[in-house]
Amino acid sequence: MSLLDHTHNPDAQSWVASANAPIAPDCDFPLQNLPYGLFRRAGSNENARVGIAIGDQILDLRLAAAAGRWSSAVQVLLQPLADGDLNSFMAQSAAKRRQLRHALFDALLEGSKQQAALTACLLPQAQAQMAVPCRIGDYTDFYTGIHHATTVGKLFRPDNPLLPNYKWVPIGYHGRSSSIGVSGSTVRRPLGQLMPPGAEAPVRAACKRLDHELELGLFVAGGNELGEPIPMAEADEHMFGVTLLNDWSARDMQGWEYQPLGPFLAKNFATTISPWIVSMDALEPFRIAFAHPASDPQPLPYLDSDKNRSEGGYEIELEVWLQTEAMRTAGEPATRLMRSNFKHAYWTLAQMLTHHASNGCNLQPGDLLGTGTQSGPEASEGGSMLELSNGGKQSLTLPNGETRAFLADGDCVSLRAFAVREGARRIGFGECSATVVPAPSL
Ligand SMILES: O=C(O)/C=C/C(=O)CC(=O)CC(=O)O
Ligand SMILES: [Ca+2]
Ligand SMILES: [Mg+2]
């Protein structure tokens, strides 16, 4: 049963004017969203603080914990956040996390008696520098985009695109958390071992087929003890929230190195996430029914539940934008490369999480699970350049006449996402942008 409450009322307005329609109809951060992030004042080297985005502002939870009037239960929940420790808050039960959402919603609601005290706790987002929002102990990347898996599979294995396990197991690999950066970073083109077409021996060179991947990232809330699986019925309790995630990929290195153990250096040199974690509570109105096609294998019982069938999916619009250096220099805006929707995913967030813990592997608060590249069913809806350029064979022509099969130095890739539904206030995810800089010289 879905958990809609007064914090999902689409007509609720905030005293923070920039959060409200009609002033900001497409604002990513209306009162109904309230995502968590970690920030410091731009140019300062103060300790990073936890805040929530509201309109074009950030409510500084360190200041708000001291200045606001909160019940003693809410004050306890605010304490780790006031200390800049999002992980400790992530570990709280879903009910407690929801309790804080309600308190923050009520405090930011138009007419709240807290307005005067909390106005002093706002910082314009334009004056903040965002950081990776929490300690990410481990990062795992799944492969739930079946259209991506089929298209990429055809390019890597023409006679064997979708391997037979795909429809039974949520496929994944262990990524690397040390190289996860937040939106606004640069990404250095990697050096690596490549096998040039037709060559007899590999060479070490700068990647020539640098790519992005359009993904969502699920942050784990409370974890599980080593050896104790998480049943599907409890999966929601362990989900904290969602960001955008760009799993940068060096396709020429990937094609050479990935067999038989899967992605390694072609993937672990950089991953970029958006700074704001949109909570599962904020996403509640955008849940949808989930099913595999009737002609496909049905999930094994440990990956199946009534709730997953009735509302395990999420309808979230996804986009990739590109601004080349020439466009930036000429003052031209980014161009949209594609659009897709998370509703096409072959496995749900709950199935990813439950499968990950199904062997007893322990997940911890702040762990990050990538969904895999979310391409739509059409060729024009590829979530990577590899797909959009048909394996590099057909370059895209950009509005200024430049062409791209893969990414060039100076290219800025931005992922965006938003959830829209009749009867709900639109919420957005902010931006996940990073600019490619040249490889180290050899
Ligand atoms: O071997 C393949 O078919 C391709 C694997 C990947 O590209 C791994 C990956 O990051 C999956 C994804 O993002 O969906
Ligand atoms: Ca990926
Ligand atoms: Mg990566």
Side-chain angles (χ1 to χ4, degrees), residues 92-105:
Q92 299 295 322
S93 69
K96 286 191 174 164
R97 286 179 269 134
R98 192 166 308 121
Q99 186 178 14
L100 183 64
R101 170 180 167 87
H102 286 196
L104 293 170
F105 181 96

Side-chain angles (χ1 to χ4, degrees), residues 204-226:
R204 182 156 190 263
C207 165
K208 289 176 188 58
R209 300 186 136 212
L210 183 63
D211 205 352
H212 59 265
E213 285 189 334
L214 169 63
E215 306 196 20
L216 291 174
L218 171 67
F219 277 93
V220 173
N224 56 311
E225 292 298 325
L226 182 63

Side-chain angles (χ1 to χ4, degrees), residues 228-236 238 302 304-305 350 353-354 357:
E228 293 293 330
I230 298 173
M232 277 297 280
E234 288 166 28
D236 279 5
H238 293 266
Y302 84 100
D304 198 8
S305 74
L353 186 127
T354 289

Side-chain angles (χ1 to χ4, degrees), residues 139 141-143 148 173 212-215 245-249 251 254 263 267 370-373:
Y139 157 51
D141 194 21
F142 283 87
Y143 198 30
H148 169 77
Y173 68 95
H212 59 265
E213 285 189 334
L214 169 63
E215 306 196 20
L245 185 152
N246 183 348
D247 178 22
W248 298 89
S249 298
R251 299 300 181 192
Q254 184 179 350
K267 295 272 187 181
T371 58
T373 311

Side-chain angles (χ1 to χ4, degrees), residues 14-300:
S14 174
W15 50 261
V16 180
S18 60
N20 296 331
I23 298 170
D26 289 341
C27 170
D28 278 355
F29 309 121
L31 184 58
Q32 292 79 357
N33 193 345
L34 305 180
Y36 291 91
L38 195 67
F39 72 98
R40 50 172 65 84
R41 270 154 225 275
S44 83
N45 51 13
E46 67 192 9
N47 288 337
R49 300 175 179 202
V50 177
I52 57 167
I54 175 81
D56 60 7
Q57 305 287 312
I58 299 174
L59 181 70
D60 180 332
L61 293 184
R62 183 184 173 96
L63 299 181
R69 272 171 300 156
W70 312 103
S71 70
S72 50
V74 167
Q75 197 75 52
V76 169
L77 292 173
L78 277 169
Q79 200 48 55
L81 298 169
D83 295 338
D85 175 11
L86 187 53
N87 293 70
S88 296
F89 175 70
M90 294 169 108
Q92 299 295 322
S93 69
K96 286 191 174 164
R97 286 179 269 134
R98 192 166 308 121
Q99 186 178 14
L100 183 64
R101 170 180 167 87
H102 286 196
L104 293 170
F105 181 96
D106 296 344
L108 290 165
L109 184 64
E110 206 169 55
S112 159
K113 293 199 176 70
Q114 302 249 54
Q115 175 172 355
L118 295 185
T119 299
C121 307
L122 295 177
L123 179 74
Q125 284 168 35
Q127 291 173 27
Q129 187 187 333
M130 302 306 295
V132 172
C134 63
R135 290 185 310 280
I136 304 174
D138 278 299
Y139 157 51
T140 302
D141 194 21
F142 283 87
Y143 198 30
T144 73
I146 191 166
H147 305 295
H148 169 77
T150 307
T151 309
V152 171
K154 265 184 210 146
L155 295 167
F156 283 146
R157 298 172 293 275
D159 24 305
N160 212 357
L162 202 62
L163 296 173
N165 57 1
Y166 188 88
K167 294 185 172 178
W168 294 97
V169 192
I171 306 282
Y173 68 95
H174 284 122
R176 185 146 179 105
S177 50
S178 64
S179 52
I180 297 175
V182 75
S183 182
S185 324
T186 54
V187 166
R188 197 165 202 191
R189 181 180 296 275
L191 296 172
Q193 200 179 120
L194 338 161
M195 183 65 113
E200 280 182 5
V203 294
R204 182 156 190 263
C207 165
K208 289 176 188 58
R209 300 186 136 212
L210 183 63
D211 205 352
H212 59 265
E213 285 189 334
L214 169 63
E215 306 196 20
L216 291 174
L218 171 67
F219 277 93
V220 173
N224 56 311
E225 292 298 325
L226 182 63
E228 293 293 330
I230 298 173
M232 277 297 280
E234 288 166 28
D236 279 5
E237 175 72 30
H238 293 266
M239 306 195 320
F240 181 76
V242 177
T243 58
L244 284 159
L245 185 152
N246 183 348
D247 178 22
W248 298 89
S249 298
R251 299 300 181 192
D252 36 9
M253 291 160 62
Q254 184 179 350
W256 170 236
E257 76 167 10
Y258 86 106
Q259 300 205 58
L261 286 186
F264 185 38
L265 302 186
K267 295 272 187 181
N268 71 3
F269 60 95
T271 304
T272 307
I273 58 173
S274 53
W276 296 107
I277 308 181
V278 176
S279 71
M280 300 319 295
D281 280 324
L283 290 170
E284 199 64 32
F286 309 101
R287 298 184 77 128
I288 49 171
F290 173 84
H292 284 169
S295 54
D296 279 8
Q298 295 305 300
L300 293 179

Side-chain angles (χ1 to χ4, degrees), residues 316-331:
I316 301 172
E317 296 268 358
L318 305 166
E319 299 176 346
V320 179
W321 294 71
L322 175 67
Q323 189 187 43
T324 67
E325 191 158 17
M327 291 161 83
R328 207 158 42 248
T329 309

